[in-house]
Amino acid sequence: MPADGKSDMERIGLFSEMGYITIGDRYVSYYMRHFNEAASKNRQMLPGGTKTLSALQAGYFEPQFVRIFDGEAYSNPVQLRRRYRLAESKKNLGRAFLPSNGDKLPCGLGSYYGTIGGPYAYFSAQLKAKEKYTSPGKNFYTNPGKKGTGYGYASVTIGEQYPHAPEVYEAGRIDAKKAQEEHQRLVKGGPFKLNLYPREYFDMNPYFNDQPLPPVKQQPPGKKIAPPFKPSSPAKKPGGMKGGTFDPYPSHSDDPYVIKKSKAVTTNKGGQIFHPPPGPKSRPITSIMTLNVTRSLNVMNYKTACLTLY
């Protein structure tokens, strides 16, 4: 332990302090010191100068052009993916897993179709029997704390309260009514009206007249015109009913029902009924255009036939 200081253990936590490598070195001032002192000593690297870009190899680090994919084998990505799938399929221990059944869909709201356990009684919508509710009774009523400092507030201090002053209901309306009656009592006569107020150029009512109307003129009695001649009924058009004729319709004559005698059927000597011979009958006829087509286009010349223009 040194006589004038702490030991190395107390100072830095070591048994003994390590020696320094710069003890005895000459002091070098950092003022006006070279940034790169080694660059100014001995011989330096001398480049050959810049070279322009050309098709030659000069100017590159390598003596010859080196290709990136030189000597690399061709790889087929489709073949590599197939090999990868085959290698992965060999890792399978068995066949692909297939579920026993597909998903079952519910058939409505609240349905348990497709579930594993089915419905639960805990989620049933049926109400359980409950005991009748009995009210626990009312709690104690207490007055809340009174707010205020006591100055200017009634019923807050310990002393007496302010005396009660009754207030009439709708006092403002009653006072206004009394003031209006007093005003009407002091009024003498009606309101002053001046007849010299300015008027408009035209009256508001164009039909108003201050002058009395003249007496009503009486019209002289006129001659009465005889009404025009009207026939009793319009002319009737002749028809099957004879409504437009002068004579009335003749009375109906009763025709008695008479049975007509049937004629004898004409027969031949053999007693058979006579049937006249039938007339000529029509039959389908081929059109002229079809006949011309059949004649011009047949089995012999259908391969060499051509269109004929007229």
Side-chain angles (χ1 to χ4, degrees):
M1 177 177 180
D4 56 350
K6 298 180 180 180
S7 62
D8 295 340
M9 179 63 70
E10 295 176 356
R11 192 163 51 84
I12 58 177
L14 300 176
F15 292 97
S16 61
E17 190 177 0
M18 302 296 294
Y20 296 93
I21 59 174
T22 57
I23 295 176
D25 293 347
R26 187 178 179 181
Y27 174 74
V28 179
S29 177
Y30 286 89
Y31 181 71
M32 296 299 291
R33 185 180 180 181
H34 296 284
F35 175 72
N36 189 3
E37 189 177 358
S40 60
K41 296 180 179 180
N42 300 328
R43 197 173 181 182
Q44 307 300 321
M45 180 180 66
L46 300 176
T50 58
K51 297 182 179 180
T52 58
L53 182 63
S54 62
L56 303 177
Q57 194 61 24
Y60 298 96
F61 294 99
E62 298 292 336
Q64 58 182 358
F65 182 74
V66 180
R67 302 184 62 87
I68 301 176
F69 298 102
D70 191 9
E72 185 176 355
Y74 171 73
S75 61
N76 189 359
V78 178
Q79 187 177 7
L80 294 176
R81 286 196 296 269
R82 291 177 180 175
R83 290 179 180 178
Y84 176 75
R85 286 199 297 268
L86 290 175
E88 292 294 328
S89 62
K90 291 179 180 180
K91 298 179 182 179
N92 297 333
L93 301 178
R95 297 182 179 179
F97 172 74
L98 297 176
S100 58
N101 262 331
D103 298 336
K104 296 182 179 180
L105 302 177
C107 60
L109 186 63
S111 174
Y112 291 91
Y113 176 76
T115 58
I116 300 175
Y120 291 91
Y122 303 102
F123 299 102
S124 176
Q126 185 177 2
L127 298 177
K128 295 182 180 180
K130 296 182 179 180
E131 297 180 359
K132 187 178 180 180
Y133 175 76
T134 305
S135 177
K138 296 183 179 180
N139 296 327
F140 292 100
Y141 287 97
T142 58
N143 290 329
K146 298 180 180 180
K147 300 179 180 180
T149 60
Y151 179 75
Y153 292 87
S155 302
V156 176
T157 59
I158 302 175
E160 297 180 358
Q161 300 179 358
Y162 292 105
H164 176 68
E167 184 179 1
V168 183
Y169 180 71
E170 293 185 352
R173 186 178 63 83
I174 296 173
D175 296 342
K177 186 178 180 181
K178 291 180 180 180
Q180 182 66 19
E181 291 176 355
E182 181 66 18
H183 172 71
Q184 294 294 338
R185 189 182 62 81
L186 298 176
V187 171
K188 297 180 180 180
F192 177 74
K193 295 182 180 180
L194 183 64
N195 295 330
L196 300 179
Y197 64 93
R199 297 184 178 181
E200 299 179 358
Y201 292 103
F202 300 98
D203 296 335
M204 297 298 296
N205 188 1
Y207 301 100
F208 179 76
N209 189 8
D210 297 337
Q211 300 178 0
L213 297 177
V216 180
K217 295 182 180 180
Q218 295 182 358
Q219 297 292 340
K223 295 182 179 180
K224 295 184 179 180
I225 301 174
F229 170 75
K230 293 182 180 181
S232 58
S233 62
K236 299 180 181 179
K237 296 181 180 180
M241 59 175 292
K242 305 298 181 180
T245 58
F246 294 98
D247 297 335
Y249 190 76
S251 62
H252 177 69
S253 58
D254 297 334
D255 295 333
Y257 179 73
V258 180
I259 300 175
K260 296 181 179 180
K261 295 181 180 180
S262 60
K263 296 181 180 180
V265 181
T266 305
T267 57
N268 53 7
K269 296 180 179 180
Q272 297 180 355
I273 299 174
F274 172 74
H275 294 282
K281 299 180 180 180
S282 62
R283 59 183 302 274
I285 300 174
T286 308
S287 64
I288 299 175
M289 183 177 295
T290 306
L291 290 176
N292 291 335
V293 170
T294 305
R295 290 174 183 175
S296 59
L297 185 64
N298 47 42
V299 182
M300 302 301 294
N301 64 347
Y302 75 95
K303 292 185 179 181
T304 59
C306 60
L307 183 62
T308 305
L309 299 176
Y310 297 98

